[in-house]
Amino acid sequence: MKAIVTVLGKDKVGIIADIAIIMKNFGINICDISQTLMQEYFTMIMMVDLKEASIDYSELKEKLGEEGKKIGVEIRIQHQDLFDAMHRI
Amino acid sequence: MINTGDILETIKMIESQNLDVRTITLSLSLFDCIDSSPNEVTKKVYSKIMRFAENLVPVGNRLSDELGIPIVNKRISVTPISLIGAASGNFLGLAETLQNVANKTGVDFIGGYSALVHKGMTKADERFIETIPEALSSTNNVCSSVNVASTKSGINMDAVAKMGDIIKKTAELTSTRDAIGCAKLVVFANAVEDNPFMAGAFTGPGEGEATINVGVSGPGVVAAVLKKMKGASVTEIAEEIKRTAFKITRAGQLVGTKAAELLNAEFGIVDLSLAPTPAVGDSVAEILELIGLSEVGGHGTTAALALLNDAVKKGGVMASSMVGGLSGAFIPVSEDSGMISAAKSGTLSLAKLEAMTAVCSVGLDMIAIPGKTPAETISAIIADECAIGVVNNKTTAVRLIPVPGKDVGDEVSFGGLLGSAPIMPVSEANASMFIKRGGIIPAPLHSLKN
């Protein structure tokens, strides 16, 4: 299953690295990544493939939430289907 | 990859504009549970519902987690109990069974303590309707509805008269809880068979074995779009509402198809209703005010509501493979913060609400009225609302709460999604002679329309 990870928060050094390390640790492939900086606000969107993941979806969600708290940004993970459904005909 | 702006838009809708899936409702046929033994029928009903609905709540929670969109309620609707219990007569036993199922599965509501008497009442229907007050006062999550009129058969005024009494009795039996029993009782004209919304959900006799029907919500999302449209024409507003309704409905369709797959049920319909909640920013009244009314209930309200209702349907129809249920903007007074404040200020009256129901879904909904209101007056209100539905070929409904011991100026609070409401004044003119006449108002003519 493919999921979209979004990270919103104040920019700082190493946000992408921190999240990429989590993905690597659990065998999750990062398929695509984009980031923008709006004023000081950091917005990153990452598409990940959970096919080979060694971690349960809800555990991963929890882990990302914890990591977000630690580095002071909001991290969400959602199934890609929701975005496809809402924005593609 | 999907456009960044689209992803952020969805997240914003969920996080700050209260986008949610209001309910996934498992609709179940109970016809194969009919038994003349009072014990057997309850046993069969319990085991059938449990077999299909055991995983409804976990599946709902899992989907909500995976997709990151709240699924507020998980509900069950069943074949009208007046039909399932007719052979045994054990209606109250079945009400208890439904409550047991709700306790065991953890669903928020279970609907279908219902009867269809729009043309006539069988002896069993009459006995069933008499049990409604007790069933609603002795259970917490069971919802009841009675269809008393239809465009094809007219208005059954005997049933209308009876329902005035039943609503009063239900209020009395739940008087210590602000007559909350009445919040779980709807009287319908042209009831639909696949409605996922409570309190009026039941599984119609023409429905399949097990289907998932979805109710979406999102007044806050529509309001957020309109906030950016200062100076736009109503044509442009209608277009934007359509676009927004499309996106909201797609989310509902996705959740519905996934839930049906996981529960071994068929996917039924998406109900394109804009359902408000008492939360600030989740109000249909606010949308009407953003269209340009200083307060909902004033002149212009009916037209603005007609525009909203039509645009929501047009946007939603293309977004879903199957559309059904009530599909329209809801205007439940106690469940909508904007309606509550307009009712308090006196701008929103019962008369205006009645006019509004001619152009939207679904009727006089969640309106608290003085406890001293006579049963005949309640019946007369039901008859008026039925007339609007029957003549205009649409569903209308009445969910009134005559709160014992309370009068205009008082307020009631039901908590949760049911919200709170000021007691609204009702005309004191007497309609009892009309109601006591009984009989059927014949079905309307479908030509020579004016």
Side-chain angles (χ1 to χ4, degrees):
Chain A
M1 127 177 177
K2 286 201 172 137
I4 303 283
V5 177
T6 47
V7 182
L8 302 170
K10 227 174 160 200
D11 194 21
K12 60 186 278 189
V13 175
I15 299 179
I16 294 186
D18 287 343
I19 294 166
I21 287 167
I22 295 180
M23 299 302 169
K24 180 176 172 240
N25 288 345
F26 296 110
I28 298 164
N29 187 31
I30 299 172
C31 312
D32 199 348
I33 185 165
S34 82
Q35 72 150 82
T36 47
L37 207 54
M38 285 184 270
Q39 280 135 16
E40 288 199 338
Y41 246 81
F42 175 81
T43 307
M44 185 195 58
I45 293 171
M46 192 183 258
M47 187 196 272
V48 295
D49 189 346
L50 302 175
K51 209 165 49 197
E52 313 272 322
S54 61
I55 185 172
D56 190 60
Y57 180 87
S58 51
E59 271 176 65
L60 175 65
K61 189 171 179 171
E62 215 170 283
K63 219 149 212 115
L64 289 171
E66 280 166 21
E67 185 67 23
K69 263 186 209 147
K70 211 159 68 189
I71 55 181
V73 292
E74 279 178 51
I75 308 181
R76 290 184 191 79
I77 179 163
Q78 286 159 285
H79 202 296
Q80 187 199 352
D81 287 356
L82 179 70
F83 303 101
D84 278 344
M86 287 178 73
H87 300 285
R88 281 187 188 161
I89 294 179
Chain B
M1 192 158 89
I2 310 152
N3 183 306
T4 309
D6 289 343
I7 291 176
L8 295 177
E9 183 191 44
T10 296
I11 287 172
K12 214 192 233 170
M13 283 181 181
I14 296 168
E15 296 294 316
S16 60
Q17 297 160 8
N18 298 312
L19 172 64
D20 56 47
V21 171
R22 174 56 52 81
T23 177
I24 46 175
T25 304
L26 175 65
S27 160
L28 269 183
S29 166
L30 296 183
F31 279 118
D32 53 356
C33 302
I34 293 176
D35 200 297
S36 57
S37 149
N39 285 334
E40 279 304 306
V41 70
T42 53
K43 255 192 246 166
K44 285 182 182 173
V45 164
Y46 183 85
S47 66
K48 173 145 191 196
I49 305 181
M50 287 308 295
R51 194 164 76 240
F52 281 90
E54 206 175 3
N55 292 322
L56 178 59
V57 173
V59 161
N61 292 341
R62 181 180 143 192
L63 285 177
S64 177
D65 209 34
E66 264 182 32
L67 299 171
I69 184 166
I71 299 171
V72 183
N73 268 199
K74 294 91 189 168
R75 302 170 176 171
I76 300 168
S77 73
V78 297
T79 313
I81 294 298
S82 61
L83 302 174
I84 305 306
S88 64
N90 189 15
F91 301 120
L92 286 168
L94 285 165
E96 195 187 332
T97 305
L98 295 184
Q99 183 60 45
N100 291 340
V101 167
N103 295 343
K104 186 82 180 165
T105 54
V107 295
D108 301 278
F109 288 108
I110 179 158
Y113 201 76
S114 306
L116 308 171
V117 294
H118 39 278
K119 182 118 182 268
M121 278 184 274
T122 62
K123 292 273 173 256
D125 286 332
E126 280 180 36
R127 283 195 296 271
F128 168 80
I129 290 174
E130 290 294 340
T131 67
I132 290 175
E134 196 182 331
L136 293 179
S137 64
S138 62
T139 57
N140 291 320
N141 309 81
V142 175
C143 291
S144 176
S145 55
V146 178
N147 192 53
V148 297
S150 84
T151 298
K152 289 235 155 72
S153 61
I155 306 172
N156 181 349
M157 290 298 286
D158 294 317
V160 168
K162 199 167 187 96
M163 288 315 294
D165 279 329
I166 295 296
I167 289 172
K168 288 284 281 187
K169 276 186 199 143
T170 306
E172 279 153 27
L173 286 183
T174 51
S175 61
T176 53
R177 291 175 286 157
D178 279 338
I180 195 163
C182 297
K184 297 179 286 171
L185 173 58
V186 189
V187 185
F188 272 119
N190 291 324
V192 289
E193 302 200 338
D194 52 8
N195 167 21
F197 284 104
M198 294 296 171
F202 65 89
T203 297
E207 292 289 301
E209 188 74 42
T211 42
I212 290 288
N213 298 324
V214 176
V216 291
S217 172
V221 181
V222 176
V225 170
L226 295 188
K227 272 181 194 155
K228 292 184 217 142
M229 297 192 69
K230 287 201 179 79
S233 75
V234 286
T235 320
E236 289 165 316
I237 284 179
E239 270 308 298
E240 261 326 293
I241 295 175
K242 270 159 67 178
R243 270 179 227 276
T244 313
F246 177 86
K247 290 175 191 165
I248 296 171
T249 309
R250 291 283 281 199
Q253 163 94 13
L254 174 70
V255 168
T257 40
K258 280 185 183 276
E261 209 178 284
L262 292 168
L263 290 164
N264 289 324
E266 294 288 319
F267 172 66
I269 56 100
V270 177
D271 187 317
L272 309 176
S273 292
L274 274 189
T277 68
V280 174
D282 206 16
S283 155
V284 169
E286 189 192 356
I287 298 176
L288 301 177
E289 288 165 6
L290 282 164
I291 293 177
L293 308 168
S294 69
E295 196 170 22
V296 71
H299 297 298
T301 303
T302 312
L305 183 57
L307 160 95
L308 170 67
N309 199 55
D310 183 65
V312 167
K313 281 186 215 179
K314 285 177 178 158
V317 159
M318 191 180 155
S320 172
S321 58
M322 284 286 268
V323 169
L326 299 168
S327 286
F330 286 169
I331 49 170
V333 174
S334 77
E335 299 173 9
D336 186 311
S337 58
M339 297 281 175
I340 296 170
S341 63
K344 276 185 191 164
S345 76
T347 308
L348 185 63
S349 66
L350 211 57
K352 188 64 184 177
L353 279 163
E354 187 184 307
M356 289 159 74
T357 65
V359 298
C360 81
S361 172
V362 63
L364 295 172
D365 195 15
M366 288 304 286
I367 299 170
I369 57 172
K372 63 177 187 203
T373 311
E376 291 84 3
T377 302
I378 295 176
S379 292
I381 296 172
I382 295 171
D384 281 345
E385 200 52 41
C386 286
I388 290 176
V390 164
V391 171
N392 295 307
N393 208 1
K394 72 186 287 291
T395 306
T396 49
V398 171
R399 185 160 50 147
L400 293 178
I401 306 142
V403 190
K406 299 220 167 162
D407 211 334
V408 176
D410 294 330
E411 263 180 56
V412 283
S413 175
F414 305 111
L417 286 179
L418 297 173
S420 64
I423 307 278
M424 293 179 78
V426 170
S427 164
E428 287 178 14
N430 191 330
S432 60
M433 194 171 92
F434 173 47
I435 297 303
K436 281 180 185 149
R437 284 180 188 275
I440 287 198
I441 296 182
L445 194 66
H446 282 288
S447 58
L448 311 175
K449 284 208 162 192
N450 263 310

